Amino acid sequence: MAKIIVTGGEVLNGEVQISGAKNAVLPILCATLLADSPISIGNVPHLHDVTTTVGLLGALGAQLSIDEKLTITVDPTHPINTVAPYELVKTMRASILVLGPLLAKYGHAEVSLPGGCAIGSRPVEQHIRGLIALGADVVVENGFVKAKCDRLKGGRYVFDMVTVTGTENVLSAAVLAKGTTILENCAEEPEVVDLAHCLMAMGAKIEGAGTNKMIIEGVDSLRGCHYDVMPDRIETGTFLIAGAMTGGRVVCRKTRAGILDVVLQKLEDAGAEITTGADFIEINMHGRRPKAVSLTTAPYPAFPTDMQAQFAAMNCMADGVGVIKETIFENRFMHMNELMRLGADIQIDGHTAIIRGVETLTGAPIMATDLRASASLVLAGLVAKGETIIDRIYHIDRGYENIEEKLGGLGAKIRRVPG
Ligand code: EPU
């Protein structure tokens, strides 16, 4: 298995181009199934999860082409098979996002239930209940969510909890329902807004995207268009932390400050100087050691769970004590034990981690357990003395485009070795 080897101690300095957002491009690619003519999606990141989604859409019968700038054109006008098998879904939970579009467009969909996940149990009953509120018959049978309807009808659904892909799935179905749908307690994440903007560019009528209440006026059909995916706020945050931890100066280009408010605030609390412009964010630590910060993860606009592991890594070497509370996923602390192998001082009490910063982390062989956990291990490796060898890095390729090249471009000593 390929590994990433990081030799710590370099101060990062330079510019990095941020890629399109993983968690926006996945629902958008699935929503292309709704169109009645070809649709092209730009600023697509080169990620393993994108390859999996392209494979899934292809298996369903869509015709796809990808140009050298990574614009993906999907032609969903060919006969579509509405069954998404376990072999494809099990490798990526976000495959459940084809459920709403297939059901809304074809009146039928069978999508294998995603299995367990390293960070939590991650059920999908909210997706199902939202679709039932739009008039669908849904059963879970033989490991599949089997849904059918004549035509979906506008309805009202109040999500029991804030769910990102749940909101996206029901939204992607409601756009073709007959009549008006009201969705409440919606996720307000920027990626939900990006999906809504893409759907609107296809002709959907949606009000309230980015708030907790969306009103959707169903239309009879949606058309193809071109849509550019938003920048990845989690990739941006990860590179900013790399700058903070190494005491350096990093400019993230092709990104947006407005989608990272709390993260930037926490970095300022850590002692960073942050400068923002229309499409860039610069962090400058002026060689200082970061101060520890405390945080609690919660749905947007609060602190994102997808940045928790990276801030944990920073706290391990920061000045002071940081308390991290994870409220979204029940098992998202697996990186903590690996960070302890590098010499971090961490006490875990349920969903709270108390991290006392140490002066020096020391490199060791460690294991990536999920996507954001792997990012935190790479970050720790950047400051650990000696070599940190990270195994199971396939997790990182799911969500970070060329991480070793991008960090290398900033001056990090990082390389990938084949397994
Ligand atoms: N939940 C339920 N029932 C449901 C849906 C969700 O109980 O029907 C619970 C989950 O178990 C969790 C909470 O609600 O405890 C929130 O989960 P959510 O549904 O919002 O998560 P998700 O949609 O499966 C997306 C991102 C995750 C990100 C979370 C939270 C995508 C493809 N994935 O997952 O991204 O952590 O929202 O912001 O958008 C990552 O990129 O590394 C990643 C895991």
Side-chain angles (χ1 to χ4, degrees):
M1 235 180 270
K3 295 182 176 60
I4 281 182
I5 302 179
V6 192
T7 308
E10 303 302 318
V11 174
L12 299 196
N13 193 345
E15 299 198 352
V16 59
Q17 304 285 322
I18 297 303
S19 301
K22 170 180 87 79
N23 289 347
V25 73
L26 302 182
I28 286 174
L29 282 174
C30 293
T32 61
L33 290 170
L34 291 161
D36 278 348
S37 48
I39 169 165
S40 69
I41 308 298
N43 199 29
V44 174
H46 185 42
L47 301 174
H48 201 261
D49 275 7
V50 170
T51 311
T52 306
T53 309
V54 164
L56 174 61
L57 297 180
L60 294 175
Q63 290 200 349
L64 294 102
S65 57
I66 304 176
D67 73 12
E68 69 288 350
K69 284 176 149 176
L70 276 182
T71 292
I72 298 187
T73 302
V74 185
D75 183 351
T77 59
H78 297 268
I80 291 288
N81 152 30
T82 57
V83 181
Y86 183 54
E87 287 62 44
L88 289 169
V89 175
K90 73 177 178 194
T91 59
M92 189 189 70
R93 302 184 55 78
S95 309
I96 193 76
L97 285 165
V98 296
L99 180 65
L102 287 176
L103 177 67
K105 179 122 182 255
Y106 298 98
H108 176 262
E110 293 187 18
V111 180
S112 174
L113 263 183
C117 173
I119 61 177
S121 64
R122 304 181 77 182
V124 292
E125 89 288 348
Q126 293 303 308
H127 304 228
I128 294 173
R129 289 173 63 176
L131 295 174
I132 291 173
L134 302 183
D137 283 329
V138 189
V139 290
V140 176
E141 212 172 57
N142 307 119
F144 277 80
V145 182
K146 298 182 179 177
K148 58 182 197 281
C149 62
D150 289 332
R151 180 178 173 189
L152 290 174
K153 291 189 288 289
R156 177 169 177 262
Y157 187 65
V158 184
F159 290 96
D160 280 6
M161 80 276 297
V162 176
T163 158
V164 175
T165 50
T167 303
E168 291 165 345
N169 228 344
V170 183
L171 169 66
S172 301
V175 287
L176 281 186
K178 190 171 172 54
T180 307
T181 297
I182 299 177
L183 299 179
E184 293 187 59
N185 198 23
C186 295
E188 299 172 32
E189 267 67 3
E191 294 77 13
V192 177
V193 179
D194 211 40
L195 168 65
H197 286 166
C198 177
L199 290 167
M200 287 192 268
M202 293 161 74
K205 294 189 177 151
I206 302 166
E207 271 176 39
T211 73
N212 64 3
K213 180 173 176 179
M214 279 193 274
I215 302 174
I216 302 121
E217 200 64 55
V219 294
D220 291 337
S221 62
L222 293 166
R223 55 179 180 271
C225 64
H226 176 82
Y227 191 79
D228 286 321
V229 174
M230 65 177 282
D232 197 309
R233 64 192 164 107
I234 307 302
E235 188 197 24
T236 306
T238 304
F239 281 105
L240 293 175
I241 294 211
M245 289 174 71
T246 60
R249 177 187 157 272
V250 170
V251 184
C252 294
R253 296 264 171 213
K254 284 178 66 188
T255 190
R256 265 190 243 155
I259 50 180
L260 278 142
D261 286 336
V262 190
V263 169
L264 298 184
Q265 183 57 57
K266 291 288 171 194
L267 287 169
E268 283 180 341
D269 292 350
E273 183 184 295
I274 303 279
T275 313
T276 62
D279 67 347
F280 77 89
I281 306 175
E282 173 179 340
I283 185 165
N284 196 338
M285 279 308 271
H286 298 286
R288 291 189 291 260
R289 178 183 180 196
K291 291 191 275 250
V293 289
S294 293
L295 58 93
T296 301
T297 65
Y300 191 85
F303 190 90
T305 175
D306 291 344
M307 286 300 303
Q308 178 258 106
Q310 300 87 321
F311 271 80
M314 185 178 82
N315 278 347
C316 290
M317 48 74 65
D319 182 17
V321 181
V323 178
I324 292 189
K325 288 191 186 145
E326 171 61 52
T327 73
I328 305 288
F329 291 113
E330 62 268 29
N331 197 23
R332 215 176 193 182
F333 273 169
M334 281 177 303
H335 46 284
M336 300 291 184
N337 286 317
E338 301 301 307
L339 292 169
M340 285 188 235
R341 285 183 50 76
L342 303 182
D345 178 352
I346 306 176
Q347 244 178 298
I348 296 177
D349 181 8
H351 294 135
T352 302
I354 301 161
I355 307 178
R356 287 182 178 77
V358 296
E359 297 263 348
T360 317
L361 295 172
T362 50
I366 46 179
M367 195 99 83
T369 48
D370 72 77
L371 169 56
R372 307 305 169 186
S374 15
S376 76
L377 303 183
V378 170
L379 291 171
L382 292 175
V383 295
K385 207 166 169 214
E387 279 195 344
T388 299
I389 303 155
I390 306 159
D391 203 350
R392 301 207 181 153
I393 49 142
Y394 51 85
H395 290 291
I396 214 162
D397 296 328
R398 297 187 51 194
Y400 289 90
E401 180 171 334
N402 299 332
I403 193 164
E404 68 272 24
E405 273 174 42
K406 289 189 182 187
L407 282 171
L410 295 170
K413 281 201 180 137
I414 178 169
R415 64 187 203 277
R416 183 181 291 244
V417 291

